[in-house]
Amino acid sequence: MNNNSLLSHRTQEPEKGILYIVGTPIGNLNDISQRALNILKKVSLVACEDTRQTKKIMNKFNISNKLISFNKHNSSIKIPKIVKDLKEGKSIAIVSDAGMPGICDPGEDITRSVKSEDIDIICVPGACAAITALVSSGLPSSSFVFEGFLPRKQSDREIVLLEISKNKKTTILYESPKRLIKLLKELLEFCGGDREIMVARELTKKFEEHIGNNINNVIEFFKDKEIIGEITVVIRGIRKRDFNPNKSIIKKDLNDLIDAGLSLSAASKYLAKKNGLKKSEVYNLI
Ligand code: SAM
């Protein structure tokens, strides 16, 4: 795309053969932009994750346009059709159930496929739960890691948790209310109870809450409560005072290395270096 065509895309009107990635609210419908409404009104069709969700926005702002469903279950059939329509000159908007399409939702699959066909994509930005939680957390926000949902498989999950526990940058996670307590207990194990954290619940909605300020307090707050609503978790990166080596993991690694044939001394030396400990501290674990 040359500079001239980029300039023309800055207008309000949708253009032929372009995929518009349209950000929609994460709760408060008034957060939608004028530009997003205009695009939703004027494109040839709107591909949405769940037509019922998108209809709420369309109805509130009196927009009637053709909606097609596009989600993880039908993407293999719908993506080629959307690509064909774009090549034939239709303008298409894609929206997800909430926030920015492509952030932990099926928007990612379609942008990759469309880009690989050399079709232009224009983003009409909107709310994103990760960024909304980050900037309201009060935690360092100029450099951060977004992990989305942690893997469900325990061994994969522990690899990411270990990375989070050692990372100096702020981490943002999405979690379902049903699994929040499990996640908080894992964070306690890996990062220690003093690590600063903010759990953002129901951002931009009527019952918005920001719960902090460290892992111990947050577990105490949610203990014995029924947790409902949308949740985003922001965890401060490690600082010297938070250093909390995960003893059970180091012990397991030590046993694995010894089983694999390393001497206790060599295995301890290796793990001490890897975890920023003294060799004697690793020794003491067994
Ligand atoms: N595309 C969306 C975005 O830009 O934020 C995220 C989609 S992902 C499928 C949905 C997850 O985002 C939820 O499970 C929750 O973790 C987070 N989320 C969405 N809306 C939220 C809100 N209002 N408050 C807190 N977290 C929210």
Side-chain angles (χ1 to χ4, degrees):
M1 195 190 287
N2 61 32
N3 281 345
N4 286 341
S5 61
L6 257 181
L7 281 176
S8 68
H9 293 319
R10 291 193 181 136
T11 64
Q12 294 274 321
E13 303 308 310
E15 293 187 25
K16 286 183 173 177
I18 300 230
L19 179 73
Y20 290 87
I21 310 290
V22 180
T24 58
I26 54 169
N28 189 326
L29 292 188
N30 289 321
D31 289 339
I32 192 136
S33 73
Q34 284 298 328
R35 186 170 166 227
L37 290 173
N38 196 51
I39 293 289
L40 293 179
K41 195 164 159 188
K42 295 185 179 163
V43 281
S44 320
L45 65 94
V46 179
C48 44
E49 204 177 343
D50 181 344
T51 50
R52 285 165 306 181
Q53 279 299 114
T54 306
K55 265 188 189 146
K56 287 184 196 161
I57 299 175
M58 308 288 261
N59 291 343
K60 178 169 167 76
F61 296 98
N62 294 321
I63 299 174
S64 53
N65 200 347
K66 185 174 173 199
L67 299 184
I68 60 160
S69 87
F70 166 75
N71 51 50
K72 60 178 184 232
H73 307 293
N74 65 16
S75 60
S76 59
I77 301 168
K78 291 291 171 79
I79 290 179
K81 189 166 170 0
I82 290 173
V83 167
K84 182 170 169 281
D85 284 350
L86 287 165
K87 284 186 172 168
E88 285 171 5
K90 285 192 177 144
S91 55
I92 299 183
I94 173 141
V95 294
S96 51
D97 282 352
M100 284 302 299
I103 305 298
C104 289
D105 60 36
E108 189 178 348
D109 302 334
I110 184 137
T111 48
R112 204 174 311 113
S113 308
V114 164
K115 221 38 187 184
S116 72
E117 296 280 343
D118 252 354
I119 296 169
D120 286 341
I121 295 178
I122 297 286
C123 178
V124 181
C128 173
I131 300 299
T132 310
L134 174 68
V135 297
S136 44
S137 69
L139 298 176
S141 54
S142 351
S143 176
F144 60 88
V145 178
F146 174 60
E147 289 284 356
F149 293 96
L150 286 189
R152 297 290 273 279
K153 193 171 154 207
Q154 197 57 29
S155 53
D156 294 344
R157 206 174 160 86
E158 285 179 1
I159 291 171
V160 185
L161 282 161
L162 188 59
E163 276 168 17
I164 294 172
S165 72
K166 291 186 197 168
N167 204 327
K168 291 187 178 140
K169 296 179 180 177
T170 303
T171 299
I172 311 166
L173 298 176
Y174 285 164
E175 190 50 286
S176 90
K178 272 189 280 169
R179 284 186 288 274
L180 179 64
I181 288 292
K182 171 176 159 60
L183 172 67
L184 292 172
K185 285 184 178 162
E186 289 169 328
L187 288 170
L188 175 68
E189 188 191 340
F190 280 79
C191 303
D194 290 336
R195 182 75 71 96
E196 275 185 62
I197 187 175
M198 197 269 276
V199 174
R201 199 180 74 80
E202 295 286 83
L203 287 163
T204 78
K205 303 189 203 178
K206 188 170 176 191
F207 297 108
E208 171 164 353
E209 273 186 313
H210 304 175
I211 300 115
N213 60 350
N214 68 28
I215 296 178
N216 280 334
N217 295 344
V218 172
I219 292 181
E220 188 58 31
F221 177 89
F222 283 112
K223 191 177 80 185
D224 306 328
K225 280 201 176 80
E226 189 201 357
I227 308 173
I228 51 169
E230 309 258 28
I231 304 278
T232 297
V233 178
V234 187
I235 306 140
R236 184 169 189 145
I238 190 165
R239 289 174 294 172
K240 268 216 162 102
R241 63 168 219 200
D242 297 318
F243 188 59
N244 174 53
N246 186 305
K247 292 187 181 139
S248 51
I249 290 189
I250 298 174
K251 203 167 162 181
K252 184 179 169 303
D253 287 350
L254 191 59
N255 286 327
D256 287 348
L257 290 173
I258 291 168
D259 284 351
L262 252 70
S263 66
L264 172 61
S265 169
S268 305
K269 191 174 169 193
Y270 169 78
L271 289 173
K273 196 165 174 215
K274 187 174 162 204
N275 292 284
L277 294 169
K278 288 187 188 136
K279 193 173 159 191
S280 57
E281 289 174 304
V282 179
Y283 251 90
N284 288 341
L285 292 177
I286 56 166

